[in-house]
């Protein structure tokens, strides 16, 4: 494994550990920690998210966090909607007769 891949994987692992540590303490987080958790969650690998969801204690904390911040997560999806539409049209366009 190259040095870049190793450094990147260490950074990803660190983000996942940070997310887990904050979830353990949730809801007793500062506003800065809440914002950091909100920023980090989408950036951790799906496998790590699945492992967190499989953990009985952390999954409850993650659910509570998502419920408390559902507006922020919904806003992210609404920003992606135009991209999804353009991609769908670019795929469907050549299929049209």
């Amino acid at each position: 494994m190259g040095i870049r891949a190793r450094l990147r994987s260490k950074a990803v692992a660190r983000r996942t550990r940070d997310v887990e540590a904050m979830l353990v303490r949730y809801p007793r987080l500062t506003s800065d920690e809440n914002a950091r958790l909100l920023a980090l969650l989408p950036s951790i690998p799906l496998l790590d998210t699945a492992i967190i969801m499989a953990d009985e204690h952390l999954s409850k904390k993650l659910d509570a966090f998502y419920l408390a911040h559902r507006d922020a997560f919904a806003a992210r999806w609404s920003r992606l909607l135009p991209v999804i539409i353009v991609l769908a049209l670019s795929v469907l366009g050549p299929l049209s007769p």
Side-chain angles (χ1 to χ4, degrees), residues 20 23 34 55 88 91:
E20 289 173 341
L23 283 174
N34 265 315
D55 182 284
V91 168

Side-chain angles (χ1 to χ4, degrees), residues 17-29 37 52 55 57-59 61-62:
R17 283 193 309 270
D18 290 349
V19 165
E20 289 173 341
M22 286 185 272
L23 283 174
V24 166
R25 294 187 0 258
Y26 184 79
R28 296 178 324 270
L29 299 177
L37 183 54
I52 290 170
D55 182 284
H57 180 68
L58 288 179
S59 67
K61 300 281 189 152
L62 184 61

Side-chain angles (χ1 to χ4, degrees), residues 22-86:
M22 286 185 272
L23 283 174
V24 166
R25 294 187 0 258
Y26 184 79
R28 296 178 324 270
L29 299 177
T30 66
S31 59
D32 288 342
E33 289 171 324
N34 265 315
R36 180 160 165 70
L37 183 54
L38 193 60
L40 286 178
L41 267 173
S43 71
I44 65 172
L46 289 176
L47 181 59
D48 291 347
T49 304
I51 292 170
I52 290 170
M53 294 170 96
D55 182 284
E56 186 177 335
H57 180 68
L58 288 179
S59 67
K60 291 176 184 174
K61 300 281 189 152
L62 184 61
D63 285 345
F65 185 79
Y66 275 130
L67 283 174
H69 298 88
R70 63 180 161 251
D71 292 340
F73 288 105
R76 285 192 175 135
W77 280 108
S78 67
R79 283 184 279 168
L80 286 176
L81 189 59
V83 174
I84 293 169
I85 291 171
V86 168

